[in-house]
Amino acid sequence: MVEESKYIWMNGELVPWQDAKVHILTHALHYGLGAFEGIRCYKTPTGSAIFRLHEHNTRFFNSALIAGAKLPYSKEEIAQAIIETVRLNELEECYIRPLWYVGYGEMGINFKNNPIDISIAVWPWGAYLGDEGLQNGIRLKVSSLTRHHVNISMTKAKICGNYANSQLAKAEALDLGYDEALMLDESGFVAECTGENVFVVRDSIIKTPPLTSILEGITRDSVMKIAMDQGIHVREELFTRDQLYTSDEAFLTGTAAELTPIKEVDNRLVGEGKPGPTTKELQKLFFEVVQGEYPKFKGWLTYI
């Protein structure tokens, strides 16, 4: 269960958690048009700080642009609302979920006459794939479902309806005893997981799928920049599932998953079946960055 906080921001007002409700005929509940962001706030030696707020907020608005929806607030207003919602909930660390969605009004496929509503919820949330997974790695199963083709769905937007595909893939993997599903693209190349980007390490070179059908992950971008700052070569390159099987190391990135090692794919051990040296080093550096202990990237932090 979600651990409740005090308030949720809804259309410009802070309402008690239990009172944050929508009508059953809210358009997005039926047709799935809305978009969300996942953001984290971390405790640092100099206070709580939101990680890469500007980039997340930009993607939030870009999702609306891609969907053809006009948000009723400016970027600056939403950024300030996120900061205030975290502050008033008095959480040192939390997950932040801004959401815009087509609201209550007319029913039917056309959404243009309905309001666009916005909410911001924050709550304490630990390791998305578990503390054990974060430390020792997780097991993946290649999904029977395919990641959205770039011309079937808008894959650069975090549109709510897109995640029906992810939910089905995740459920299949869990039912089979795995921790997460690995999605292939329409050509059979590795794309991403249900909510995370994928990296492999081979011969000290990091590879990650290019921005074709995948979501342009902000944690993905962060880890790439951290790796390059350390002099580690990073390539954006298509690769197959068998290349993932035979990699030296592999890991996932995402706001919720942070940087989680992969120890096994389809009952095949990746490398030695445990987090490798590059994965462990990048994970350590990533947490130093988000906790304000890596001076070069302090500009990514917005202090509360």
Side-chain angles (χ1 to χ4, degrees):
M1 295 292 291
V2 174
E3 185 176 343
E4 296 182 10
S5 56
K6 295 180 179 179
Y7 305 107
I8 293 178
W9 189 96
M10 297 188 74
N11 294 324
E13 296 183 5
L14 283 162
V15 300
W17 179 281
Q18 292 289 350
D19 295 336
K21 299 175 181 178
V22 297
H23 195 280
I24 193 63
L25 293 183
T26 295
H27 197 277
L29 278 175
H30 298 259
Y31 302 108
L33 191 56
F36 64 90
E37 273 301 315
I39 315 173
R40 279 194 187 263
C41 177
Y42 290 92
K43 182 180 178 181
T44 81
T46 52
S48 298
I50 299 172
F51 184 60
R52 300 198 75 172
L53 173 59
H54 171 75
E55 290 83 357
H56 281 288
N57 196 32
T58 296
R59 191 170 64 181
F60 187 62
F61 276 79
N62 284 346
S63 292
L65 176 66
I66 290 167
K70 183 173 175 55
L71 302 191
Y73 295 89
S74 68
K75 285 185 182 179
E76 294 74 20
E77 288 172 324
I78 293 300
Q80 191 57 42
I82 290 170
I83 293 168
E84 286 300 310
T85 303
V86 174
R87 179 182 292 129
L88 293 173
N89 276 288
E90 300 178 317
L91 297 172
E92 288 186 318
E93 292 193 314
C94 62
Y95 182 83
I96 306 165
R97 173 55 60 89
L99 168 71
W100 66 258
Y101 56 97
V102 180
Y104 174 71
E106 295 182 5
M107 292 299 285
I109 298 299
N110 177 31
F111 72 92
K112 292 292 187 177
N113 296 324
N114 287 37
I116 301 297
D117 294 327
I118 303 180
S119 65
I120 302 164
V122 304
W123 66 87
W125 204 7
Y128 174 62
L129 294 169
D131 292 329
E132 170 70 17
L134 199 62
Q135 181 175 347
N136 296 318
I138 62 169
R139 302 174 66 242
L140 301 187
K141 179 74 180 74
V142 172
S143 179
S144 66
L145 297 165
T146 301
R147 179 66 169 96
H148 294 298
H149 182 278
V150 292
N151 206 33
I152 289 175
S153 185
M154 300 292 192
T155 59
K156 299 301 175 287
K158 285 181 70 69
I159 291 174
C160 300
N162 288 353
Y163 284 82
N165 181 243
S166 293
Q167 291 176 73
L168 295 174
K170 180 84 171 186
E172 177 186 63
L174 293 176
D175 286 345
L176 292 171
Y178 294 84
D179 301 306
E180 180 58 287
L182 177 69
M183 312 286 287
L184 305 181
D185 69 16
E186 76 285 354
S187 299
F189 292 101
V190 171
E192 58 188 2
C193 289
T194 61
E196 306 89 11
N197 294 115
V198 182
F199 289 79
V200 297
V201 183
R202 193 169 189 177
D203 298 328
S204 300
I205 296 173
I206 296 177
K207 296 180 182 180
T208 191
L211 298 175
T212 49
S213 64
I214 70 170
L215 183 72
E216 197 166 352
I218 292 167
T219 307
R220 172 187 182 274
D221 176 73
S222 303
V223 169
M224 290 173 70
K225 286 182 167 66
I226 294 167
M228 289 185 284
D229 187 60
Q230 293 294 308
I232 302 171
H233 190 52
V234 182
R235 294 180 186 170
E236 293 182 282
E237 183 177 296
L238 290 172
F239 55 87
T240 57
R241 73 173 85 180
D242 43 4
Q243 289 175 302
L244 172 56
Y245 295 159
T246 57
S247 61
D248 300 324
E249 307 174 41
F251 59 87
L252 306 178
T253 63
T255 295
E258 296 163 312
L259 195 158
T260 299
I262 300 168
K263 66 180 180 181
E264 186 181 313
V265 182
D266 290 344
N267 294 327
R268 297 160 173 87
L269 294 182
V270 175
E272 296 182 2
K274 61 183 181 181
T278 300
T279 299
K280 289 194 289 188
E281 178 64 14
L282 287 175
Q283 187 187 64
K284 173 178 169 290
L285 293 170
F286 173 76
F287 281 109
E288 287 179 2
V289 169
V290 299
Q291 292 164 2
E293 297 172 351
Y294 196 131
K296 182 168 183 176
F297 295 110
K298 278 200 170 181
W300 285 347
L301 302 177
T302 300
Y303 286 90
I304 300 301

